Amino acid sequence: MENFDLVMEQIGFGRVHLFATVTLGLLQMLTIQETMGMGTIGPAAVCDLHMNQAQLASLTAAGFMGIICSSYFWGYITDKKGRRWTLLRTIVLSNVCSLASMFCISSTGFFVMRFVTCIFVAGPSFVAATYLSEFCSQRILVRTITHMYMFTGFAMISCPAWATLFLSQDFIQFEVELVGDLTLRPWRVLGWIYILPGVVAFFLLLHLPESPKFLMMIGETQKGLATMEWISKKNTGHGLTEDQIRHMIAYEDHVRVRRRKSKQNILRSMLDDAMPLFRKPFIGYFLCVCFVMFVLGLLSNGLGIWFTAMRNRYNMRQGNTKGMTFCRVLFVPETGPIMETEADFEAVCDDSFKGFNNSFVLGAVYVVLYNLSWLSLFCVHKKVMFVFSLVAASTFGFLLIVVTDPTMQLFSLVFLLAFPGVTIGLLGGALLRFVPTYIRAKALCISLMWCRCGAAVGAILVGSNIQDHCELFLLAIAILPLIAACMEGYLPL
């Protein structure tokens, strides 16, 4: 490992790293828009697809469930076939399925197609970070991954920006009958718009090579050296020196995994390949990472996917709200037509939105926090950042229950979501440093699978239960970050 790091340090951070960060950051945007974007598309589709509240809650979780079901499979394929190989194919398949999903005319069909779409979105959702990490030395790895995850904030801004254009009654409104019951409305076009980062990333990815670490690991010496030569020329203007080539060959001798044919079936092979993560020295750290990722996903994605709908309902609240807590504004009687009991929901179908300005605030806070996190990595230990972020999230969760000022309520909810979201990137980068190349993709995909499990659980619980037990639900949400913070001593930070 020291040989590869030494060569990468000598090459330095440059054009290749910037290009790769932007390309893979766009894939992060694709992941967020295909999953969290359902928080705007779902409520806008309730009238066309005749969905009740339970169906809407299931729809918001469909993407996360698709990612959960396929994550480990893509991790296995990535470690067998390559990072770039997997990315190119999953991007194409996810974009095609996403386009097709917007032609669905029933809630069941829409749920199934969103599930299938995110089976393939699972590839970019974690392979991007693995791929980028293998262009970096250990010194810059976490900071570079943090910058890639910063595109989460850009996605959080682009989602409401496009939704403002297509779903706001003040801008674009149209209804075109196509075939049978299929009607073209703005929310369908919005779904097509959300795949644009994936389309752009696909063409940018064609200009990047396979991971040099992966190539050296599988014994493709010449291809690995050619990739390092290309990186060196792009970053420094000259090729590898003889000394650097010797270091790379020594690195290959250390990490190469010889491929061997096996009579085992693919499921047995997938299981055996993951076993090193559940043995010493990885098992303790890895299980703790998975638990913390579950909590972080439940907070940032499971609760976060309902952010626009909750703020929309909050802003449509009629009457005097002075002195009312967040839960009372949302769920006291005569709140309004949005998110009422199922009977009222079916009687009055209203898919209008007024809450996108608040979503811009959430996206902006994400971007600011990612940049602050990146700067803090130069002078603050990662454990300190981890504990501070989770304690801060918990504090804002408790404040959200009791404060009555509208601005404080908005920012308490925003920070309750944003701090755990930023911590996912920090913990993911630390995990990539901790595990070796041959199980890196599987380690990240399993940990992020638990993150998506938390997101799916959170999305369903919020959609189906928060109306009846709002204060108790927020109290439980506020306690979870404190439990996760207590795990800092058992994490590879």
Side-chain angles (χ1 to χ4, degrees):
M1 195 65 71
E2 296 81 4
N3 292 289
F4 182 86
D5 280 347
L6 178 61
V7 176
M8 272 299 181
E9 284 290 337
Q10 292 172 351
I11 292 174
F13 187 90
R15 292 164 57 191
V16 172
H17 296 90
L18 289 173
F19 185 80
T21 300
V22 171
T23 302
L24 301 169
L26 288 172
L27 292 181
Q28 183 64 19
M29 287 186 67
L30 173 69
T31 300
I32 296 300
Q33 291 184 174
E34 290 286 21
T35 52
M36 304 297 284
M38 282 298 104
T40 54
I41 291 178
V46 291
C47 296
D48 284 351
L49 303 182
H50 309 292
M51 290 187 289
N52 57 35
Q53 189 61 30
Q55 290 170 322
L56 180 58
S58 298
L59 177 64
T60 59
F64 298 123
M65 289 189 282
I67 292 176
I68 292 165
C69 291
S70 62
S71 284
Y72 183 68
F73 172 76
W74 293 120
Y76 173 82
I77 294 297
T78 299
D79 281 339
K80 293 293 184 183
K81 290 289 195 177
R83 286 60 164 124
R84 182 176 178 270
W85 188 96
T86 304
L87 284 174
L88 289 172
R89 285 152 181 80
T90 52
I91 292 169
V92 171
L93 291 170
S94 68
N95 285 348
V96 170
C97 291
S98 185
L99 287 172
S101 72
M102 293 302 139
F103 289 100
C104 292
I105 58 175
S106 69
S107 59
T108 302
F110 196 40
F111 174 89
V112 171
M113 284 306 301
R114 293 313 304 172
F115 177 83
V116 173
T117 296
C118 287
I119 285 177
F120 299 112
V121 169
S125 73
F126 74 87
V127 179
T130 305
Y131 184 48
L132 181 59
S133 73
E134 294 176 358
F135 285 87
C136 302
S137 65
Q138 293 284 353
R139 184 178 63 86
I140 66 170
L141 191 153
V142 177
R143 294 198 293 270
T144 306
I145 295 297
T146 300
H147 254 142
M148 188 206 76
Y149 277 114
M150 183 180 65
F151 281 75
T152 299
F154 297 147
M156 291 292 191
I157 294 173
S158 68
C159 276
W162 288 115
T164 299
L165 180 63
F166 284 95
L167 299 184
S168 174
Q169 295 177 341
D170 298 329
F171 292 95
I172 297 176
Q173 283 294 313
F174 57 85
E175 187 169 336
V176 181
E177 293 185 3
L178 298 177
V179 179
D181 294 330
L182 178 60
T183 302
L184 181 64
R185 293 193 65 210
W187 66 266
R188 297 185 187 273
V189 180
L190 179 62
W192 299 333
I193 293 292
Y194 279 168
I195 73 168
L196 285 179
V199 175
V200 175
F202 175 82
F203 288 104
L204 294 179
L205 192 60
L206 294 176
H207 298 282
L208 283 170
E210 181 56 86
S211 156
K213 275 193 171 182
F214 175 79
L215 291 171
M216 302 301 278
M217 180 190 74
I218 63 173
E220 296 282 358
T221 309
Q222 295 305 314
K223 290 182 180 180
L225 290 176
T227 299
M228 292 297 291
E229 181 86 5
W230 179 81
I231 296 172
S232 181
K233 286 182 177 179
K234 291 293 184 181
N235 280 13
T236 66
H238 58 78
L240 296 174
T241 65
E242 291 293 331
D243 192 45
Q244 288 173 334
I245 292 174
R246 282 196 296 271
H247 280 298
M248 290 304 301
I249 292 174
Y251 169 75
E252 184 199 22
D253 292 338
H254 178 67
V255 301
R256 181 165 53 192
V257 176
R258 297 187 182 276
R259 290 183 169 181
R260 58 184 184 275
K261 294 183 179 180
S262 174
K263 296 181 180 179
Q264 293 178 340
N265 61 45
I266 188 171
L267 293 177
R268 182 66 184 179
S269 178
M270 290 170 65
L271 181 63
D272 289 344
D273 283 0
M275 281 300 102
L277 293 169
F278 299 96
R279 301 190 185 106
K280 292 182 179 180
F282 305 115
I283 181 170
Y285 287 120
F286 186 66
L287 291 178
C288 289
V289 167
C290 291
F291 171 77
V292 173
M293 282 291 197
F294 180 90
V295 172
L296 297 178
L298 191 152
L299 291 166
S300 64
N301 296 330
L303 178 61
I305 201 169
W306 291 101
F307 176 84
T308 300
M310 286 192 292
R311 294 305 305 178
N312 185 59
R313 177 171 182 156
Y314 187 101
N315 292 332
M316 295 183 75
R317 173 71 161 88
Q318 299 176 356
N320 182 22
T321 60
K322 186 176 182 180
M324 296 178 68
T325 63
F326 181 74
C327 288
R328 285 181 57 81
V329 173
L330 288 182
F331 300 119
V332 291
E334 291 82 41
T335 298
I338 302 298
M339 292 177 69
E340 289 295 339
T341 62
E342 186 173 321
D344 292 334
F345 192 81
E346 293 176 342
V348 180
C349 185
D350 188 342
D351 56 10
S352 58
F353 276 92
K354 291 185 179 180
F356 294 124
N357 288 340
N358 299 154
S359 298
F360 286 120
V361 173
L362 177 61
V365 168
Y366 259 102
V367 173
V368 170
L369 286 181
Y370 272 114
N371 278 284
L372 289 175
S373 177
W374 175 76
L375 290 172
S376 299
L377 286 168
F378 287 97
C379 55
V380 180
H381 196 279
K382 291 190 291 295
K383 283 190 177 182
V384 175
M385 295 170 59
F386 175 81
V387 172
F388 173 82
S389 296
L390 292 182
V391 171
S394 184
T395 302
F396 284 110
F398 290 125
L399 286 175
L400 183 61
I401 300 172
V402 298
V403 295
T404 57
D405 179 72
T407 303
M408 277 297 297
Q409 290 173 350
L410 170 61
F411 280 95
S412 294
L413 180 57
V414 164
F415 285 115
L416 174 61
L417 302 176
F419 273 115
V422 173
T423 307
I424 291 173
L426 179 69
L427 188 56
L431 179 63
L432 289 171
R433 287 189 60 184
F434 178 65
V435 296
T437 304
Y438 74 99
I439 54 171
R440 180 169 289 168
K442 289 186 279 288
L444 187 62
C445 81
I446 293 173
S447 66
L448 289 181
M449 180 178 71
W450 281 101
C451 181
R452 309 307 181 193
C453 283
V457 170
I460 293 173
L461 288 178
V462 172
S464 58
N465 293 320
I466 193 171
Q467 181 168 340
D468 298 324
H469 311 286
C470 183
E471 287 88 355
L472 184 62
F473 190 87
L474 290 179
L475 178 63
I477 287 287
I479 293 173
L480 284 176
L482 294 179
I483 298 174
C486 294
M487 308 294 290
E488 60 86 17
Y490 303 96
L491 296 174
L493 294 171

